Amino acid sequence: MSTLHIQNTLTRQKEKFEPINPPYVGLYCCGPTVYSDVHLGNTRTFISFDLVYRYLKFLGYKVRYVRNITDAGHLTNEAGEGKNRMEDQAKLEKLEPMEIVQKYTVGFHDVCRIFNISPPTIEPTATGHIVEQIEMAQQLIQNGVAYESNGSVYFDVRAYNEKGYNYGILSGRNIDELIAGYRDLDGQEEKRNAIDFALWKKASPEHIMQWNSPWGKGFPGWHLECSVMSTKYLGKQFDIHAGGMDLKFPHHECEIAQNVGACGEQPVRYWMHTNMLNFNGQKMSKSLGNSILPMQFITGDHPLLDKPYSAMTVRFLFMQSHYSSELDITIKGLQDAEKGLRKLMNAAKYLKELQFDSITVEEKQDKWIRDLCATCKEVMDDDFNAPKLVATLHELATQINIYYNNSKKINNLSDVTYNSLLATYNGFLFDVLGLMEEEQSGDNTALDKAMQLIIDIRKQARDNKDWTTSDKIRDALKEANISIKDGKDGTTYEIN
Ligand code: AMP
Ligand code: ZN
């Protein structure tokens, strides 16, 4: 039985996770709108839910993970007469809208591969589900919570609330205040109330992406696709719906209204929202002009970066803060993440080389390692607390380094604890956190080996009080711009 608890943003409480139909779990995450490259902020959200997906699988659940591609319907201005983002970009780049979709979907998949973000089990597209979206709009009209107006279809928020439902249940917003806020906006004439949102929009002749419908030629509203695709693949009620916090309102609020309006049931048991990635204290977003592309971190090709950082360094940096906290990305944070990641990865390498030779089990040490292993699961069970998991893995890595520097033998643990250490360290580092060994060039591997040899010779010289040899090594390395540091976890080197 799992003891996983999830902070449910619908109930605003941390709740025990009880899937509707165990061992199956349905997980839906709003995917990217493919009209431009995903930036690092988007990547943080997808990495956060990759962690959730990985941990659910690690616990033994059979997860159906649906993450959509928004390739139609996302307007530049949700409240008014916005334009289709794909079409706008197509005009700008002088391409077909579907070439835009293809180009940025491929780019998104490349980012996922490099950052080790698992593919979902289903990746549906909005354009592949036009028929289902029309059907849901028809159902909503039939249920008295939507109406047609001049070739468009709108969701009737007041009628929905008059049926006893609660538009605002997720975001805590009040519809009278919302209506007051909308009053001055243009393009509202077709709606009964300014707060009503589009399920289907009539296409003007210049719109390229348009489809036939019972209301004439048009295209679906953005919110409708997620209601349709989540319930089509996961059922009318499913376990977890995920997305960035900025989607809570209006996108997710509207999704709930559509599903409840169509079926009378709350569609989702646990809503999860990730917090934003900031850069210099501001939400990273294209409109603010402060977005950095994931690939720019890898090439270092950005005026705000001091050097390239690997994809795993960035992923590791993300794991050091809880998904529900804001994360400010800084050069210092990246540098520390680089060092921390190297320590954990090196310890994984050492662990492979260590020999188990339990001569005398030291009870205190044995219990300490056993408890640390248990802590890894406990902290992840507490709403996927990756930063605490990283801290626990650091403690285990320190101990692994001590074994490695002491004759490469584990000689004071019971075999049960030793096996638990192996499974826990590797399982949480690679399978749960999704970190992986980054390809090093042959030269680097050779350099690592040569440096390890030099470090060993220096240690031997110092143990033998052979200061001439140890000083010679130090001076030669200094000349080669390599510094070595003696820490409590052993000796490491750095190229200056
Ligand atoms: P979009 O392509 O704009 O629909 O966004 C894709 C996902 O990225 C959504 O779940 C957004 O909430 C999320 N997102 C957008 N900006 C940020 C940010 N600065 N930090 C974290 N997540 C973000
Ligand atoms: Zn969505």
Side-chain angles (χ1 to χ4, degrees):
M1 260 275 279
S2 146
T3 50
L4 175 63
H5 283 67
I6 296 181
Q7 180 67 33
N8 188 349
T9 45
L10 180 66
T11 60
R12 296 155 184 84
Q13 275 173 5
K14 203 180 274 181
E15 292 169 3
K16 186 165 193 291
F17 179 59
E18 284 173 310
I20 296 166
N21 186 21
Y24 301 98
V25 171
L27 170 64
Y28 186 88
C29 177
C30 292
T33 306
V34 282
Y35 71 106
S36 63
D37 289 313
V38 287
H39 59 65
L40 202 72
N42 307 129
T43 312
R44 181 191 184 196
T45 288
F46 297 125
I47 289 180
S48 296
F49 293 120
D50 184 42
L51 175 79
V52 169
Y53 175 47
R54 285 169 176 275
Y55 190 55
L56 289 168
K57 287 198 295 181
F58 186 80
L59 291 177
Y61 290 117
K62 299 193 181 327
V63 187
R64 179 174 293 170
Y65 180 24
V66 184
R67 193 185 62 211
N68 70 305
I69 294 283
T70 296
D71 59 352
H74 199 162
L75 303 182
T76 47
N77 171 4
E78 285 309 312
E81 295 293 295
K83 284 182 268 159
N84 183 306
R85 287 180 192 257
M86 267 61 66
E87 280 193 26
D88 261 15
Q89 193 63 26
K91 280 183 197 135
L92 214 73
E93 295 194 31
K94 295 194 170 49
L95 295 172
E96 274 291 311
M98 272 301 158
E99 282 183 295
I100 292 294
V101 165
Q102 182 70 20
K103 175 177 169 184
Y104 293 110
T105 303
V106 168
F108 170 59
H109 288 159
D110 284 346
V111 169
C112 288
R113 207 182 51 254
I114 291 164
F115 284 78
N116 206 21
I117 300 172
S118 329
T121 54
I122 304 178
E123 192 170 51
T125 60
T127 53
H129 296 77
I130 299 291
V131 173
E132 291 89 336
Q133 291 180 78
I134 292 173
E135 281 169 2
M136 189 179 254
Q138 284 176 311
Q139 182 71 56
L140 290 167
I141 294 176
Q142 210 179 323
N143 292 0
V145 289
Y147 55 92
E148 194 242 313
S149 173
N150 190 28
S152 293
V153 179
Y154 294 99
F155 190 91
D156 190 336
V157 175
R158 271 205 193 284
Y160 174 76
N161 268 16
E162 276 158 17
K163 286 184 182 289
Y165 302 130
N166 178 9
Y167 183 84
I169 190 171
L170 179 70
S171 60
R173 304 210 185 187
N174 169 294
I175 69 164
D176 293 319
E177 283 167 18
L178 284 168
I179 288 173
Y182 276 121
R183 208 160 272 156
D184 295 333
L185 291 171
D186 290 339
Q188 305 287 343
E189 309 78 34
E190 292 176 2
K191 302 183 190 176
R192 289 183 188 161
N193 278 293
I195 193 182
D196 294 350
F197 57 90
L199 301 173
W200 186 265
K201 284 294 277 182
K202 178 181 177 170
S204 49
E206 67 271 17
H207 260 103
I208 309 168
M209 297 177 89
Q210 49 172 282
W211 292 264
N212 281 322
S213 80
W215 316 287
K217 287 198 179 262
F219 55 91
W222 170 37
H223 313 307
L224 196 55
E225 63 171 279
C226 288
S227 277
V228 160
M229 295 189 280
S230 59
T231 51
K232 171 163 179 166
Y233 297 111
L234 301 173
K236 287 194 172 78
Q237 270 205 310
F238 61 94
D239 298 303
I240 306 174
H241 192 312
M245 251 189 16
D246 56 338
L247 299 189
K248 222 178 191 184
F249 188 86
H251 185 53
H252 292 159
E253 193 71 62
C254 295
E255 264 192 56
I256 293 179
Q258 290 163 161
N259 288 114
V260 173
C263 306
E265 292 183 286
Q266 273 297 324
V268 177
R269 291 278 281 271
Y270 305 87
W271 279 90
M272 291 182 71
H273 288 97
T274 46
N275 214 321
M276 295 291 107
L277 180 74
N278 296 335
F279 195 70
N280 293 331
Q282 250 188 344
K283 177 190 158 184
M284 187 176 283
S285 104
K286 228 169 299 153
S287 51
L288 292 172
N290 68 345
S291 55
I292 304 189
L293 300 181
M295 296 309 183
Q296 287 176 311
F297 278 82
I298 293 164
T299 58
D301 180 21
H302 193 284
L304 296 170
L305 293 173
D306 61 335
K307 68 178 193 76
Y309 289 93
S310 74
M312 286 305 108
T313 300
V314 176
R315 187 174 173 115
F316 186 63
L317 175 70
F318 288 171
M319 293 299 158
Q320 286 174 288
S321 75
H322 192 253
Y323 74 83
S324 65
S325 308
E326 280 187 22
L327 170 59
D328 215 331
I329 197 155
T330 60
I331 298 297
K332 169 89 175 60
L334 284 161
Q335 288 169 348
D336 290 348
E338 199 168 55
K339 282 193 198 126
L341 177 65
R342 194 178 307 151
K343 176 178 164 186
L344 295 195
M345 283 300 177
N346 280 343
K349 255 192 267 169
Y350 298 160
L351 191 56
K352 260 193 248 164
E353 290 178 37
L354 290 176
Q355 282 175 8
F356 178 63
D357 180 9
S358 191
I359 305 163
T360 34
V361 176
E362 281 174 31
E363 270 313 317
K364 215 169 133 205
Q365 173 83 0
D366 195 67
K367 181 175 180 320
W368 183 58
I369 297 288
R370 223 178 324 130
D371 288 350
L372 282 177
C373 291
T375 302
C376 289
K377 182 169 181 305
E378 277 160 27
V379 294
M380 281 302 287
D381 274 350
D382 184 13
D383 196 25
F384 310 94
N385 200 324
K388 284 194 181 162
L389 171 61
V390 168
T392 314
L393 290 177
H394 266 294
E395 284 196 63
L396 286 172
T398 301
Q399 189 52 41
I400 291 166
N401 289 345
I402 291 170
Y403 285 129
Y404 188 79
N405 288 325
N406 277 342
S407 71
K408 300 192 181 177
K409 277 200 167 70
I410 294 186
N411 53 11
N412 56 10
L413 299 183
S414 64
D415 53 356
V416 175
T417 305
Y418 167 68
N419 286 327
S420 166
L421 173 64
L422 283 182
T424 304
Y425 196 82
N426 292 321
F428 280 90
L429 188 67
F430 299 115
D431 301 340
V432 175
L433 290 179
L435 297 166
M436 58 181 185
E437 280 294 352
E438 284 171 302
E439 259 178 43
Q440 286 187 328
S441 69
D443 286 352
N444 255 356
T445 317
L447 181 66
D448 272 351
K449 281 194 177 147
M451 280 306 299
Q452 193 54 52
L453 181 70
I454 292 170
I455 288 168
D456 286 348
I457 294 172
R458 176 174 166 270
K459 184 174 182 296
Q460 220 169 40
R462 286 162 68 115
D463 288 350
N464 296 337
K465 298 196 167 38
D466 174 3
W467 308 120
T468 321
T469 307
S470 82
D471 286 353
K472 199 171 162 188
I473 291 173
R474 185 199 56 203
D475 294 344
L477 290 177
K478 200 171 160 198
E479 221 179 287
N481 258 335
I482 297 173
S483 54
I484 44 181
K485 279 191 196 125
D486 298 304
K488 64 178 182 351
D489 312 330
T491 303
T492 53
Y493 79 92
E494 218 168 71
I495 301 170
N496 300 326

